[in-house]
Amino acid sequence: MPIQRIFEEVEAAKAHIENLSVQALAAELREHPDLLLLDIRELQERILLGSIPGAKHVPRGMLEFWADPSSPYARNYFAQDRRTVLFCAGGGRSALAARTLQEMGFSNIAHLEAGFAGWQESGESIEDVRSASRWVERTPATS
């Protein structure tokens, strides 16, 4: 069996999920403050670039474990019918993750199609994660 092309998989996932524009997500955030917004990027991405205000960090590698209520790693902010929107840097990882949550039984899932890059380019508000993080960026020592 040949290796599946990842961008074909992303496009296939997008055909089965709700794909939100930056404007649609911004409107939802204003109208529904209880919306669960998940930043699934790597920690370094959040620290270096910031995040969408109010987003919870759920590393992509832990998503299914944190979302499953029977898992010892479960997080109580996940609920099967709670409006949940995911985002990553450019929309690929979040499309696959949104599809996975749907397959797990979550019913009100969407993702930010343009990703954080699109959010940033649109001039929307960005939370400074670096100043509150206990992780620090180290610069290589010069000789």
Side-chain angles (χ1 to χ4, degrees):
M1 177 174 166
I3 293 175
Q4 295 292 321
R5 293 192 164 99
I6 190 60
F7 293 106
E8 289 175 6
E9 291 296 313
V10 168
E11 289 307 311
K14 285 182 179 182
H16 298 281
I17 60 173
E18 185 178 355
N19 301 284
L20 294 178
S21 68
V22 169
Q23 296 77 19
L25 176 57
E28 277 202 49
L29 289 170
R30 283 190 300 274
E31 295 170 20
H32 303 285
D34 60 334
L35 179 144
L36 178 58
L37 183 61
L38 302 179
D39 183 345
I40 65 164
R41 296 175 301 153
E42 299 292 326
L43 181 61
Q44 309 87 291
E45 293 173 278
R46 284 179 50 87
I47 291 172
L48 292 174
L49 301 172
S51 190
I52 298 174
K56 292 197 177 293
H57 183 227
V58 177
R60 177 63 190 97
M62 292 303 295
L63 178 66
E64 294 88 343
F65 297 98
W66 289 10
D68 178 354
S70 70
S71 166
Y73 304 104
R75 299 296 193 262
N76 64 1
Y77 43 80
F78 283 94
Q80 189 171 7
D81 60 351
R82 183 178 184 187
R83 178 62 165 166
T84 303
V85 178
L86 298 89
F87 70 93
C88 62
R93 289 173 285 178
S94 60
L96 296 172
R99 182 70 176 146
T100 297
L101 287 180
Q102 277 185 335
E103 290 169 350
M104 289 177 71
F106 290 86
S107 60
N108 199 357
I109 302 296
H111 89 112
L112 178 59
E113 189 167 20
F116 183 74
W119 183 268
Q120 198 173 30
E121 288 170 11
S122 73
E124 293 289 342
S125 179
I126 295 175
E127 177 184 358
D128 174 21
V129 176
R130 183 184 304 223
S131 62
S133 177
R134 58 182 187 203
W135 301 98
V136 296
E137 180 184 9
R138 301 203 192 284
T139 55
T142 57
S143 28

